Amino acid sequence: MQTEGGRQRGILRVYLGAAPGVGKTFAMLDEGQRRAARGTDVVVAYVETHGRPRTAEQVGDLEVIPRQVVEYRGTTQEEMDLDAVLARHPEVALVDELAHTNVPGSGNEKRWQDVEALLEAGICVITTVNIQHLESLNDVVESITGVRQQETVPDKVVRQADAIELADMSPQALRRRMAHGNIYGPDKVDAALSQFFREGNLTALRELALLWLADRVDEGLDRYRDQHGIDTTWAARERIVVAVSGGPESEVLMRRASRIASRIGGGEWLALYVTRGDGLVHMDPARLHRLHSITEDMGGTFHTVVGDDTAAAILDFAKAENATQVLIGASRRGRLSTLANPGIGEVVIADSGDIDVHIVTHDEARRKHGNIRSSPDLSKRRRRYGYLIGVLGPAVLATLLIVTPDFHGLPTEAMLFMALVVATAIIGGFRPAILTSFLSGFVLNFFFTPPLHRLTVASGENAFALVLFVIVAVAVSSVVDLAARRTAQAEKATAEADALTVLSHSLLHAGDMRTLLASACELFGMRGAAIIDAEGQIRFEVGDPIAGLDAADVSVKVDEETSLALTGRSLAAADQRLLKAYAAHASVLAERRRAAKERNERRVLEETDRTRTALLAAVSHDLRTPLAAVKAAVGSLRNRDIAWSPEDQQELLASAEDGADRLNDLVTNLLDMSRIQMGAVKPYVDEVDLEATIEHALSSLPGWERVDLVLPSDVSLVAADAGLLERVMANVVGNALTYAPAETRVTIDGSAVGGRAVIRIIDTGPGVPPEEQDRLFEPFQRLGDVPRGEGVGLGLAVARGLTEAMGGTLTVEDTPGGGLTFVLDLPLAGEAT
């Protein structure tokens, strides 16, 4: 069992089957026998043998909890006795048929709810379920078998199991078992074999079970890789990423990916479109929607990421998804262009590592287009400015130099043009700078190198200088462009490091979830972020509201139950790792919340243990005293050697009666306290005559003559449970009568305040210090004006618990002049909601 604070939460183990008869129940019982032989306390909470002898024999000597008999519509039905199992509290309970619907009147509607109650009580559960009973697969199973399952269990219940084991059997073997009468009786065999147990049905259900379980294993693998920071691809399952550009060849590539995945068996494929980082969409929205629909029709999933470097974006996405293969269309560019500037395919192949890359030919391949690969770190606007400076800059500079010939020579002119090339590289990048370098070389040659206004060069030294100028200009342009890119990358890495630092700081200083979401919005430039569970419920949210995971622009799983969703824009593929870091931190914060909850539960259990210890200590004295008095009185009366006078007999009988009354009060208070702590008090709130109820409560109290009852007419009727209210008044007034001085009186008055009745029980005893007054209502407390040895200190605790069950409050305050005043607040009749 796994420890969750002081209370142990049970471990859930599920045996999953594709159809009835594959051996789930037998495997469950076998596991129970194995654990019992190991010394584990195992009981059979519910098992359905369906009349199968071998299954019944497998129960063996395991303890079987008797079933609960439920009357429903004139018939007698048997269900698992949840209360009996909880009372027995074994280490392991075997519960068959998780998806079963209980008979009305059984407590919970579904058996999986009974199992949840057992797990919360710290009992490990081993159970069984067939794949057709999973809620998400109901429609699929109906399309296969033609039968819609009425009994289902939420997928979340099974997915959260600590262990899921497949009870597997081939369709042929299962049909043989059916034919031999090992599953159903002879009268049902033929119908079953010709309907539900057809070989095609069984094969499809078996595949469904295997695939569903494989998905759970894949989720576990992803969690392990994330927890251990593993970035390399683990080819545990074939996953294919196909990069599409939106061109005519996209559908060809997707069909090829679908065929490869279908031949692999169990493989999956993902279509990926990389859009520009400046937010401009280059694919027509209608075309994008069509590709999305085609992908889903062919069994894939469509994804869009932002990336200025398409090849890097493809690889970042593939590694994040643990892909084993990447499909890319053959380049449309010519061979010379490819040699001068490697295309996306060449870059992906070079950097793919252990990911297989397929270059797929298509009709559009080798068709030349005028697209030039842009510098990935510069905006379109800056590149335009770069080309503008590259064309106009040499002309403007040449004009200035021509009109000022006396202030410079050829070396100065060459350096000025070199400065212009560098400026162009800084502003527009490598390509505009290359253009500027060649234009500057031409202008230097034509306007400033003898012979002027000719393309020839008179001096060999000048010719060498011009060639060197162009070479140096190109080299400087390349270095400046590379430096600009590295600077942008460094800034991005710095931002990522800063974000991780903030995340780490938030963990060290117990940051909350909303702070984390706000940080994610700020870092990624999003309008809103939320933590959304599997059912679409928002658990935490900041910024713009998100209707659900489908409405989010970006989402990533936090754990099996929740996902981190953001809205505002698509996210670059390179940012996926940082986004997963946020998800991991969100998971840690969620785990902290769970741990805090467990600590609270542990504290409650520790208080319960202290209560139990106090109870045993109190009972050891307070039960013994009245029992001894009763025994002594009865023993004396039965002693024939002593002749008791009538007065002595009455005194002994009175002593026995007093001891019995004390015992009755003690046991009643103990039972009431137990019911209150278990939440089993169900008051029947109705219109109650307050004065009559108080008078009835006082009549059973010794010394009631010392009580003055003064109630105004406006509090004559309250909304309460008459029986519980009588117990409350008896306990509170009894406390005042017992521990206030005998010569003093106790006053009960009341008033109506804001639709509520406020009743005060006032005594003038020695009182209790203010700092200890709240402890008066804790079980087993004797404080202030309560002398030791009188009762177990439960009366006031029971009174407060019963009052709160009726929707009221019971507090205490000082009586002016000395003593205590208990304040009982209840809704007036007609005001209760």
Side-chain angles (χ1 to χ4, degrees), residues 604-652:
V604 171
L605 287 174
E606 289 172 352
E607 292 174 356
T608 302
D609 288 338
R610 286 196 298 269
T611 299
R612 186 181 297 110
T613 302
L615 172 62
L616 293 174
V619 167
S620 65
H621 176 272
D622 294 286
L623 279 179
R624 186 183 300 117
T625 301
L627 279 174
V630 172
K631 180 176 176 58
V634 173
S636 298
L637 288 171
R638 294 187 61 188
N639 191 340
R640 300 182 181 276
D641 296 334
I642 303 175
W644 299 102
S645 66
E647 292 79 7
D648 293 335
Q649 291 179 2
Q650 289 300 320
E651 186 176 349
L652 289 172

Side-chain angles (χ1 to χ4, degrees), residues 47-67:
V47 66
E48 187 59 68
T49 64
H50 296 286
R52 301 165 191 165
R54 288 195 61 197
T55 304
E57 292 173 4
Q58 189 66 12
V59 176
D61 56 356
L62 292 175
E63 178 185 347
V64 180
I65 301 296
R67 298 183 181 183

Side-chain angles (χ1 to χ4, degrees), residues 70 72 96 367 436 631 698:
V70 181
Y72 181 65
D96 207 4
R367 292 187 182 178
T436 306
K631 180 176 176 58
L698 296 178

